[in-house]
Amino acid sequence: MAERQTNRDIADEHDLPVYLARPGTADQVPRQKYGGLFCSVQDAFDGKSIDFDALSVGQSTPGSVRRETGQRARGPGSDGWNSLGQGRRAEKRAERSLERALERSIETRSVETRSRRDKELLQNLGEQKSERLLIKGGRIVNDDQSFHADIYMEDGVIKQIGDNLIVPGGVKTVEANGKMVIPGGIDIHTHLQMPYRGTTTVDDFAQGTKAALAGGTTMIVDHVIPEPGCSLVQAFDQWRQWADEKSCCDYSLHVDITHWNDGVRDEVDALIKDKGVNSFQVYMAYKDYYQMSNSELYEVFTFLGERGAIVQVHAENGEIIAEEQARMLQMGITGPEGHVLSRPEELEAEAVFRAVTIASQTNCPLYVTRVMSKSAADIISMARKKGNVVFGEPIAASLGTDGTHYWSKNWAKAASFVTSPPLSPDPTTPDYLHTLLSSGDLSVTGSAHCTFSVAQKAIGKDDFTQIPEGVNGLEERMSLVWDKAVTTGKMDENMFVAVTSTNAAKILNLYPRKGRIAVGSDADLVIWDTDAVRTISAKTHQSAAEYNIFEGLELRGAPQAVVCQGKMVLEDGTFHASSGVGRFIPCTPYPDFAYKRIKARKQIAVLKAVPRGLYDGPVSEYTMSRGGTPGASARTSPSKQPPRNLHHSGFKLTGPTTPDDLPIRPAGRRITVPPGGRSNITSLS
Amino acid sequence: MSDCRREWNREDELPVYLAGPINTGPKQRKSYGMFGSVEGAFDSKTIDFDDCAVGRRGSRTPRSGSRERLLDTGEPDGKTPANGPEAPPSNKVENEDATGVKAATNNNSLLGEGEKLLIKGGRVVNDDQSMFVDVYVENGVIKEVGENLFVPGNVKVIEANGRMVIPGGIDVNTCFMKPFLDTYPVDDFLQGTQAALSGGTTMIIDHVTPQPDESLLGAFERWQEAADKTACCDYSLHVDIPHWHETVKDELELLVQDKGVNSFQVCMAYKDVFQMTDSELYHAFSFLKKMGAVVLVHAENGDLIAQEQSKILGMGITGPEGHPLSRPEEVEAEAAFRAITLGNRVNCPVYITKVMSKSAADTITQARRKGSVVFGEPITAGLATDGSHYWSKNWAKAAAYVTSPPLSPDPTTPDHLSSLLACGDLQVVGSAHCAYSMAQKAIGKENFTMIPEGTNGVEERMGFVWDKAVAIGKMDENQFVAVTSTNAAKIFNLYPRKGRIAVGSDADIVIWDPDLIKTITAKDQQSASEYNIFEGMECRGGPALVVCQGRVVYEDGKLQAQQGSGRFIPRKPFPDLAYQRIKFRNQVTNQQGVTRGMYDGPVYEVPPMPKYITPAPSAKTSPTTNQPPPVRNLHQSNFSLSGAQSDDYVPRRSGHRIVAPPGGRSNITNLG
């Protein structure tokens, strides 16, 4: 901070625009302050801050989605900050000359954004006053670089980044004191308020998003799970309604495809085109319920690959699980340990392998949810090495704890760890997953937050297959990754941002609106305190669950302040989240992160037939009485008609042929002179 | 070389077993090499057939399984030819007049009076060691192995002149009678076994391929009958399981226990015909493991293939190139991975037939490294040629290569496979010989999915392994014997009767000439097919002489095989190579539940219609299960005290913690 002050003073002395002053004062100005090698030029940040609209590829209506909820009241406590800001005003005044020098460039920029802001204002008639926030003196950490700069936000959007920003009066200022300012986390996998046998998970959208914000996550992506046989669109609308009512932060939705037919196909199409969903989950587990056959998977993958959506798979071999479960119950194992015994990690690895194969056949990007075991992670990293477009998502639980707890004598404790795929009993798994996360082989972290009370878990007290599956992790996710990966030196802070936020935004095609601190991005920020230490406990967590699977774990690193939609929601341990402000963020298809490679491959992977003359040699007689064409059956693939088999005619010249038992032609007879003579095409020479 | 040694020994005029220990001179040590320095060492190394057979009930394997098998019934007559030290007529005969012997062969064979044969001066190569010894054969069984054997008169002597004497090859994968739309391969058991013998293979294991609606037993008997009539060499049979249901179980049990079949193939490909679902595979694996059988897996993902086939036909690709395009190698690797996973789960040995691609082979390698009991079988075609020919302009040529899984278009595949074979990651070489005539292949002239699948290779198998692996220094001769014969015998429980040159083993012996060079062509082959996929390839190494059942059947290019002489070799379940580890693992992997008190905390009332169905095996997909019904869920009762409420569909208040459950907190559920 002191350094920054002197820097400003020096600039002041020269009374020159910064971009002019810089070269002259080369010795004095400590270059390293701006983040090292790549940020030595002052205005570099302005150029790097991305014009949101220009970059949004394939989005039909840029900026159309800034629905404001009209509840943008100023957060309590902003007065205090205002006075502090005024105190700093005097200091600011000294810099006025410099500011003036900057005015020109800023003016041009403000002209650029003017039109959009006007539109917004029109939309938000009736809103009293927009929230303005300035974060000063922080070190901005994006996934590609870190640098010291201030951030000015207005109307929930980052308006300016840089030093010595010119901001209007009445701005609430937050002093970051050199702490990290990171894009708010995106939890790409949650199950909030999920219906389950007439009840729901204990964390609804209000409770769950509060927990998210408390952990530094400012956006969640929830899974819509329609009942098999029910309409996807209806389920989606239902989830929208629940979330709009209660959510405290922005959210988006995945839709799970629980069955597949032509009707579902049309609904999926509608969801992609009109509803802003670009990711769909399919299940390879839950036999006779959610599970899909390989043929169905192939069709889903093909379809979604054509429409530009992301296929997420729950990868476990459901058929073998069903057999193993029956075997376990037969052996008299009914407790939660049966869950992990009946779902060994190789079943997960097998399903991942199969999913990768299908995705590679259909040229479709693949996203594996809940990577829980070493072997599954290895398969993903092998596939990536071979060039497959596949993303792996470890979850907070698999990164923070292991499956040894399934053998706990305390039934309630053991049951609270039940999730699918199960946590691996191998205690080295979390460490291994962190390593792969750091090396980029796994791409994003989710939480799969799906909390049930102990009473709900106790539905399966006599039969582990009845235990509702789900663990917590929404609140702990960011801290876990920081503690286990960054403080141990596996991962740097940029990678931390990438795996907790940026990659998720890229996969969902929300980048750079989310997942980056840049001009034009949403004002979802976290001031990250790397030194904070907290102990996880069910007593102190935000979630409504009675148990926390990370109970007693000490984690370094925690959010000090959280800005969501441009408002301070967490500050010095006090919480000002208001439920219902969360907006649905529509995702557009064809995210570059996944589809650029897919598109290129589509162009080159055109199969061609070999042009040959017609075969005119002898053709053996046969009947279709036995066996059959190993072609596609019409039954299982409703969409595709198998090509007409020209040999399938009932018409026969010869009448009844030789008896079935005898070979048509005595074996060993060579046809040396076929009728019609030999042709070139069939010549065997 | 060996002649000199015999000279010294004869001076002593003592029986071999006595003469041995006294007679160790310094000179001899040199000639026997490091591991064979003691003369008598060989005697003890030759395995006593009966003692070694672990887990067999009868002292003697039943040598005849079907009717006209009186070949070797009266065999243990004269144990050892210790009938006097009449000097072996070593120098006397250098190949008696061949014609006379042949006549004798023809006369004797059916009478069970097998000819007596002495193979002198050869280097006997087994899978574990090579040594210079003579082999004496009587009645189709090896009677003596050693130096200076005492043999009775009237013995035909074959001078090996220092060439390799190896156990006859065992081809574990042939399809001589596999029907395709009512047509049969042109190579039946006669043609096929003749081709086998002329390539140095003295035993085949054929696949019985019943149609989905056919009884396994009926098909098995049909095959056995056909083979008994025509086969020229010993044979055994695998049985393919076309689909899984209850009656199959009984038939399998019968086949294993009474019919001498210990290996069954299941298919993961051929959707809607032979393909089994994962559940069915699980049941099949569990059952076959209980029976002690080896599970052979045709590993390809049939669902994906069906999809790809219709896609490719839809694109207008109807020629043979559509075959590899619709069956890319990852589909094979995927299925191999799945099969291995199933094998691990069930704790059952898995044998992958026809490993055709690098990725499938790598999958097997990795699984072995993790300790899975899995065997891989590359075939002749995969080791010697590649799939680039599918794009040939000549339809007939391209179609000749059609087999499943297809040959990989990657030209480095054969090299990779032979490397893995050399290092032991793949174990057995088969041929998957299934030769269809061109007219039969032309059934699929407008639709590649209709082309009958199969390539030749039974004749070329041994030669190409030698040429591609041994001749270029990847593999030694012992490993050559292992992959072409011994491993197969071990996996299918024929060892040491087959796959080894030892006292008591069957006299299936090949004198191998490593310098023989021949050019493969359809004109010279024994097979009846018009095309040879190895056409024009040069192959080093080949059999100079083949002894089958104690008779010389092939010598210097002339085949004297006898139709119908082949015996069915029954095989016992629980082969050691596959099942020993399985047995130990069975003992250690006893899973136990955790003993806990009863949970007495609050339990959420589940409404009558459960949302989650217990994922128990459904009756629909696995008709065989006599699994117990899933444990009755006590909460799943239809009885409800309150009846349906108006607010049933309103989500309950979330965030409700039960702090004081009725009845107070108990230790079991204490969350502290």
Side-chain angles (χ1 to χ4, degrees):
Chain A
M1 197 50 225
E3 281 173 316
R4 296 181 55 77
Q5 204 53 56
T6 51
N7 176 21
R8 224 172 263 142
D9 288 345
I10 289 161
D12 216 343
E13 278 167 27
H14 287 272
D15 248 357
L16 272 169
V18 166
Y19 47 89
L20 289 181
R22 182 59 66 220
T25 56
D27 330 311
Q28 304 265 355
V29 177
R31 285 181 162 237
Q32 62 271 25
K33 254 192 279 175
Y34 288 98
L37 211 53
F38 297 105
C39 312
S40 51
V41 182
Q42 167 96 349
D43 279 341
F45 311 134
D46 298 36
K48 290 240 169 56
S49 62
I50 294 159
D51 181 359
F52 189 65
D53 293 331
L55 279 181
S56 54
V57 181
Q59 277 174 338
S60 46
T61 50
S64 62
V65 290
R66 315 228 150 211
R67 189 171 63 85
E68 306 287 350
T69 48
Q71 301 192 5
R72 206 49 69 79
R74 294 177 65 141
S78 58
D79 285 352
W81 282 104
N82 260 347
S83 63
L84 199 139
Q86 265 155 8
R88 306 200 111 231
R89 184 79 34 80
E91 196 180 302
K92 274 266 166 65
R93 217 164 281 135
E95 303 170 12
R96 201 188 300 139
S97 50
L98 175 70
E99 286 169 3
R100 209 169 288 139
L102 275 168
E103 252 174 23
R104 171 174 261 166
S105 62
I106 286 167
E107 255 171 20
T108 51
R109 194 167 53 215
S110 60
V111 166
E112 275 171 15
T113 56
R114 175 80 62 199
S115 56
R116 190 180 58 197
R117 198 185 300 163
D118 283 346
K119 218 182 284 172
E120 262 171 40
L121 285 173
L122 280 175
Q123 283 171 353
N124 301 323
L125 288 174
E127 194 181 3
Q128 305 129 340
K129 202 174 176 189
S130 59
E131 179 94 1
R132 290 166 182 175
L133 199 62
L134 179 69
I135 295 179
K136 278 176 77 86
R139 189 158 51 91
I140 297 175
V141 179
N142 274 327
D143 68 322
D144 54 348
Q145 63 174 2
S146 314
F147 53 90
H148 287 277
D150 301 343
I151 307 164
Y152 171 65
M153 290 159 270
E154 206 179 298
D155 297 330
V157 177
I158 296 173
K159 292 288 181 193
Q160 298 177 45
I161 292 174
D163 272 323
N164 308 314
L165 300 175
I166 298 173
V167 293
V171 166
K172 173 176 169 177
T173 307
V174 179
E175 188 57 61
N177 284 323
K179 290 224 163 64
M180 281 170 61
V181 180
I182 58 174
I186 299 175
D187 192 332
I188 197 164
H189 187 163
T190 64
H191 297 276
L192 302 179
Q193 212 169 327
M194 185 183 87
Y196 176 83
R197 289 195 186 183
T199 174
T200 60
T201 53
V202 292
D203 283 329
D204 62 2
F205 276 98
Q207 200 75 39
T209 50
K210 262 180 207 157
L213 290 170
T217 297
T218 55
M219 176 174 180
I220 59 154
V221 190
D222 205 71
H223 277 270
V224 176
I225 309 180
E227 281 291 299
C230 296
S231 156
L232 267 59
V233 174
Q234 272 173 23
F236 172 81
D237 290 339
Q238 179 66 61
W239 252 262
R240 276 291 307 272
Q241 192 192 330
W242 286 336
D244 281 340
E245 274 169 17
K246 291 185 177 172
S247 179
C248 308
C249 65
D250 288 350
Y251 69 96
S252 191
L253 294 171
H254 306 295
V255 176
D256 293 7
I257 302 176
T258 46
H259 62 292
W260 184 247
N261 55 38
D262 284 343
V264 173
R265 175 199 305 267
D266 297 338
E267 285 195 312
V268 168
D269 207 21
L271 284 169
I272 295 173
K273 280 187 183 136
D274 309 328
K275 300 283 190 176
V277 177
N278 78 348
S279 47
F280 296 86
Q281 175 162 327
V282 293
Y283 290 85
M284 298 169 84
Y286 305 109
K287 184 174 169 183
D288 298 335
Y289 195 51
Y290 292 151
Q291 189 178 326
M292 284 195 189
S293 71
N294 291 336
S295 306
E296 287 170 331
L297 289 174
Y298 186 96
E299 285 175 15
V300 173
F301 280 43
T302 310
F303 180 74
L304 293 180
E306 282 162 6
R307 292 294 188 275
I310 303 281
V311 179
Q312 304 191 320
V313 291
H314 177 116
E316 276 184 297
N317 189 318
E319 303 214 354
I320 307 183
I321 288 172
E323 302 294 338
E324 292 279 304
Q325 282 180 336
R327 191 166 71 92
M328 288 300 149
L329 291 173
Q330 201 181 358
M331 286 165 68
I333 299 177
T334 56
E337 68 276 12
H339 181 72
V340 65
L341 290 175
S342 63
R343 305 174 103 104
E345 67 174 74
E346 40 180 2
L347 301 192
E348 189 190 345
E350 188 280 316
V352 172
F353 198 104
R354 190 145 41 98
V356 167
T357 305
I358 300 173
S360 145
Q361 282 310 302
T362 52
N363 193 23
C364 168
L366 178 74
Y367 179 103
V368 180
T369 60
R370 295 200 254 205
V371 177
M372 305 296 276
S373 67
K374 282 175 159 184
S375 33
D378 278 339
I379 301 283
I380 291 171
S381 90
M382 258 167 50
R384 287 174 70 91
K385 258 160 220 146
K386 285 185 190 154
N388 293 13
V389 183
V390 49
F391 307 105
E393 167 209 276
I395 65 169
S398 64
L399 291 168
T401 183
D402 60 57
T404 51
H405 302 282
Y406 290 117
W407 280 266
S408 165
K409 287 275 187 191
N410 180 340
W411 189 92
K413 183 181 174 190
S416 66
F417 285 84
V418 169
T419 185
S420 286
L423 290 158
S424 167
D426 177 356
T428 60
T429 305
D431 208 40
Y432 191 78
L433 293 179
H434 277 291
T435 306
L436 290 188
L437 202 55
S438 314
S439 68
D441 280 348
L442 298 174
S443 312
V444 291
T445 52
S447 70
H449 189 86
C450 179
T451 46
F452 290 99
S453 69
V454 172
Q456 287 169 327
K457 290 265 184 189
I459 292 171
K461 74 189 171 71
D462 299 318
D463 177 357
F464 65 87
T465 62
Q466 303 286 317
I467 301 174
E469 291 165 356
V471 291
N472 63 304
L474 187 50
E475 189 172 351
E476 298 82 5
R477 185 180 65 104
M478 305 266 289
S479 294
L480 263 173
V481 177
W482 184 270
D483 182 74
K484 303 268 180 189
V486 186
T487 59
T488 57
K490 282 188 176 176
M491 195 185 266
D492 58 23
E493 55 193 25
N494 302 102
M495 194 66 185
F496 171 72
V497 169
V499 299
T500 54
S501 174
T502 310
N503 286 349
K506 285 179 177 170
I507 289 172
L508 292 168
N509 217 358
L510 295 172
Y511 187 83
R513 179 172 175 190
K514 299 279 183 191
R516 187 173 180 88
I517 298 179
V519 171
S521 298
D522 278 0
D524 290 344
L525 310 174
V526 174
I527 300 179
W528 191 256
D529 184 356
T530 57
D531 304 322
V533 177
R534 59 176 175 161
T535 307
I536 306 294
S537 167
K539 293 185 185 74
T540 53
H541 70 192
Q542 291 288 332
S543 159
E546 301 137 288
Y547 196 78
N548 191 315
I549 58 166
F550 307 108
E551 190 75 37
L553 201 62
E554 223 181 53
L555 296 180
R556 279 156 294 178
Q560 189 183 39
V562 177
V563 177
C564 181
Q565 298 181 345
K567 283 179 302 189
M568 293 295 289
V569 292
L570 177 73
E571 195 177 355
D572 299 331
T574 50
F575 213 62
H576 330 289
S578 43
S579 82
V581 301
R583 302 164 296 180
F584 173 72
I585 311 285
C587 305
T588 49
Y590 295 108
D592 278 347
F593 196 53
Y595 268 91
K596 266 210 171 127
R597 285 176 287 171
I598 296 289
K599 279 180 192 161
R601 287 175 198 187
K602 231 169 229 166
Q603 284 162 12
I604 56 160
V606 178
L607 304 176
K608 279 193 191 116
V610 176
R612 295 189 182 92
L614 274 172
Y615 176 87
D616 53 0
V619 179
S620 176
E621 281 291 329
Y622 65 95
T623 53
M624 290 298 290
S625 59
R626 282 204 214 130
T629 326
S633 81
R635 178 171 55 83
T636 46
S637 53
S639 61
K640 282 177 190 160
Q641 287 296 322
R644 183 162 171 253
N645 180 359
L646 299 174
H647 298 282
H648 230 303
S649 129
F651 178 72
K652 222 183 288 173
L653 278 177
T654 50
T657 45
T658 44
D660 281 352
D661 317 356
L662 293 175
I664 297 300
R665 176 181 296 109
R669 201 180 116 191
R670 301 193 199 184
I671 297 170
T672 40
V673 189
R678 308 187 80 166
S679 75
N680 267 340
I681 294 159
T682 57
S683 152
L684 291 171
S685 52
Chain B
M1 235 341 248
S2 48
D3 286 344
C4 324
R5 254 182 281 128
R6 221 168 280 122
E7 221 74 72
W8 307 321
N9 285 344
R10 210 176 322 122
E11 286 166 13
D12 294 333
E13 295 267 303
L14 274 168
V16 167
Y17 46 87
L18 289 181
I22 308 167
N23 210 4
T24 47
K27 270 170 142 186
Q28 277 172 326
R29 285 188 170 243
K30 227 184 290 167
S31 65
Y32 288 109
M34 200 137 67
F35 296 104
S37 52
V38 182
E39 168 96 352
F42 309 134
D43 297 37
S44 56
K45 288 239 169 56
T46 58
I47 296 161
D48 182 358
F49 194 63
D50 294 331
D51 283 354
C52 285
V54 182
R56 293 181 203 200
R57 267 169 275 127
S59 61
R60 202 90 175 103
T61 333
R63 294 221 160 218
S64 47
S66 88
R67 298 156 297 284
E68 58 238 338
R69 298 206 184 94
L70 30 113
L71 290 166
D72 50 357
T73 40
E75 54 188 339
D77 41 2
K79 282 274 182 184
T80 35
N83 28 355
E86 43 176 338
S90 58
N91 295 335
K92 196 181 80 189
V93 221
E94 279 276 348
N95 255 340
E96 272 181 300
D97 50 342
T99 49
V101 174
K102 226 181 293 162
T105 310
N106 294 342
N107 292 337
N108 290 343
S109 55
L110 283 179
L111 299 173
E113 189 66 35
E115 78 184 276
K116 296 166 180 167
L117 209 61
L118 181 68
I119 299 172
K120 279 177 71 95
R123 186 157 50 94
V124 171
V125 179
N126 274 327
D127 68 322
D128 52 350
Q129 61 173 5
S130 313
M131 52 198 176
F132 284 97
V133 281
D134 302 341
V135 181
Y136 172 66
V137 172
E138 202 180 298
N139 290 331
V141 177
I142 297 173
K143 289 289 179 192
E144 279 186 277
V145 178
E147 297 270 2
N148 305 315
L149 303 175
F150 292 93
V151 292
N154 197 18
V155 165
K156 177 181 174 182
V157 176
I158 297 163
E159 188 56 59
N161 284 325
R163 282 178 299 191
M164 288 166 59
V165 177
I166 60 174
I170 299 175
D171 190 337
V172 286
N173 187 349
T174 63
C175 299
F176 291 150
M177 254 179 79
K178 184 182 182 182
F180 179 83
L181 301 176
D182 290 344
T183 71
Y184 287 84
V186 291
D187 282 338
D188 58 4
F189 276 103
L190 176 64
Q191 295 279 357
T193 51
Q194 279 176 352
L197 287 172
S198 60
T201 298
T202 55
M203 176 170 182
I204 56 145
I205 309 185
D206 201 73
H207 277 274
V208 176
T209 48
Q211 292 304 312
D213 48 355
E214 197 180 355
S215 119
L216 295 189
L217 223 52
F220 172 78
E221 272 156 10
R222 213 148 52 79
W223 251 259
Q224 205 183 24
E225 198 180 340
D228 277 338
K229 275 185 201 148
T230 49
C232 307
C233 67
D234 287 351
Y235 70 96
S236 194
L237 296 172
H238 305 296
V239 177
D240 293 11
I241 305 175
H243 60 163
W244 188 253
H245 54 79
E246 195 55 48
T247 52
V248 165
K249 266 183 172 174
D250 302 337
E251 288 191 315
L252 290 178
E253 204 163 343
L254 208 63
L255 284 168
V256 171
Q257 273 159 13
D258 302 342
K259 298 289 181 181
V261 178
N262 76 353
S263 48
F264 298 90
Q265 175 161 308
V266 292
C267 262
M268 300 170 83
Y270 305 112
K271 185 171 174 180
D272 297 335
V273 186
F274 297 123
Q275 189 179 331
M276 290 191 193
T277 66
D278 289 355
S279 297
E280 287 167 341
L281 288 171
Y282 187 96
H283 288 293
F285 279 41
S286 309
F287 184 77
L288 292 175
K289 176 206 168 189
K290 216 165 60 191
M291 308 279 16
V294 178
V295 184
L296 318 181
V297 180
H298 178 117
E300 278 184 297
N301 189 321
D303 287 337
L304 296 191
I305 289 170
Q307 293 280 355
E308 292 278 324
Q309 281 179 338
S310 59
K311 183 176 104 187
I312 281 169
L313 285 173
M315 290 165 71
I317 299 177
T318 57
E321 70 275 13
H323 185 71
L325 290 176
S326 64
R327 305 176 102 102
E329 66 174 71
E330 11 175 34
V331 168
E332 188 191 347
E334 188 280 314
F337 196 97
R338 189 145 42 98
I340 292 166
T341 306
L342 274 158
N344 287 346
R345 273 299 87 214
V346 179
N347 189 22
C348 163
V350 175
Y351 179 103
I352 310 279
T353 60
K354 296 200 250 190
V355 176
M356 304 296 276
S357 67
K358 282 175 154 184
S359 35
D362 286 341
T363 304
I364 293 170
T365 305
Q366 277 167 17
R368 286 179 68 85
R369 233 152 254 166
K370 286 182 189 159
S372 307
V373 183
V374 54
F375 306 103
E377 168 208 279
I379 66 168
T380 321
L383 288 169
T385 183
D386 61 59
S388 51
H389 302 283
Y390 290 118
W391 279 264
S392 164
K393 287 275 187 190
N394 179 341
W395 189 92
K397 183 181 175 188
Y401 287 84
V402 169
T403 186
S404 285
L407 290 159
S408 166
D410 177 355
T412 60
T413 305
D415 208 39
H416 188 76
L417 291 180
S418 55
S419 296
L420 291 186
L421 203 55
C423 75
D425 280 345
L426 300 174
Q427 290 74 36
V428 190
V429 183
S431 70
H433 188 93
C434 185
Y436 289 103
S437 72
M438 207 40 67
Q440 287 170 319
K441 290 264 183 188
I443 289 170
K445 72 191 168 78
E446 278 147 29
N447 179 348
F448 65 86
T449 64
M450 300 287 290
I451 300 173
E453 290 165 355
T455 55
N456 62 306
V458 71
E459 187 172 351
E460 298 83 1
R461 186 180 68 100
M462 306 265 288
F464 273 120
V465 175
W466 186 271
D467 181 72
K468 300 284 178 191
V470 188
I472 60 171
K474 273 187 185 175
M475 193 187 268
D476 60 21
E477 55 192 26
N478 301 102
Q479 180 73 2
F480 172 72
V481 169
V483 299
T484 55
S485 174
T486 312
N487 287 350
K490 285 180 177 168
I491 291 172
F492 296 110
N493 223 356
L494 295 164
Y495 188 82
R497 179 173 175 190
K498 301 280 184 190
R500 186 173 182 90
I501 295 181
V503 172
S505 298
D506 279 0
D508 290 345
I509 298 169
V510 173
I511 298 183
W512 190 258
D513 185 356
D515 303 321
L516 197 77
I517 295 182
K518 77 170 179 180
T519 307
I520 311 287
T521 166
K523 292 183 186 73
D524 300 341
Q525 71 186 1
Q526 291 291 334
S527 160
S529 66
E530 304 127 290
Y531 195 78
N532 191 315
I533 58 166
F534 311 108
E535 190 75 36
M537 291 176 78
E538 260 190 15
C539 178
R540 277 160 295 179
L545 182 138
V546 178
V547 176
C548 180
Q549 298 179 352
R551 292 190 311 271
V552 176
V553 292
Y554 178 86
E555 194 173 1
D556 298 329
K558 289 188 292 288
L559 190 70
Q560 301 137 17
Q562 198 175 17
Q563 182 171 354
S565 63
R567 300 165 297 181
F568 174 74
I569 311 284
R571 293 172 291 140
K572 288 265 159 82
F574 294 107
D576 276 347
L577 186 64
Y579 269 92
Q580 221 160 37
R581 283 175 288 171
I582 297 290
K583 280 177 192 162
F584 278 106
R585 288 177 197 187
N586 264 349
Q587 288 162 13
V588 291
T589 55
N590 274 336
Q591 281 147 342
Q592 276 169 355
V594 176
T595 45
R596 298 187 181 91
M598 287 291 291
Y599 174 88
D600 54 358
V603 178
Y604 185 82
E605 270 308 317
V606 186
M609 283 297 289
K611 182 185 163 186
Y612 274 70
I613 299 160
T614 317
S618 82
K620 173 169 61 74
T621 44
S622 52
T624 57
T625 45
N626 59 357
Q627 296 266 357
V631 171
R632 182 159 170 255
N633 181 358
L634 299 174
H635 299 279
Q636 213 166 325
S637 125
N638 281 323
F639 178 70
S640 153
L641 277 176
S642 51
Q645 297 295 314
S646 57
D647 62 347
D648 267 352
Y649 296 103
V650 178
R652 301 296 158 98
R653 185 164 66 93
S654 51
H656 179 149
R657 298 191 203 186
I658 298 168
V659 277
R665 307 188 81 165
S666 76
N667 267 340
I668 296 158
T669 56
N670 187 3
L671 291 172

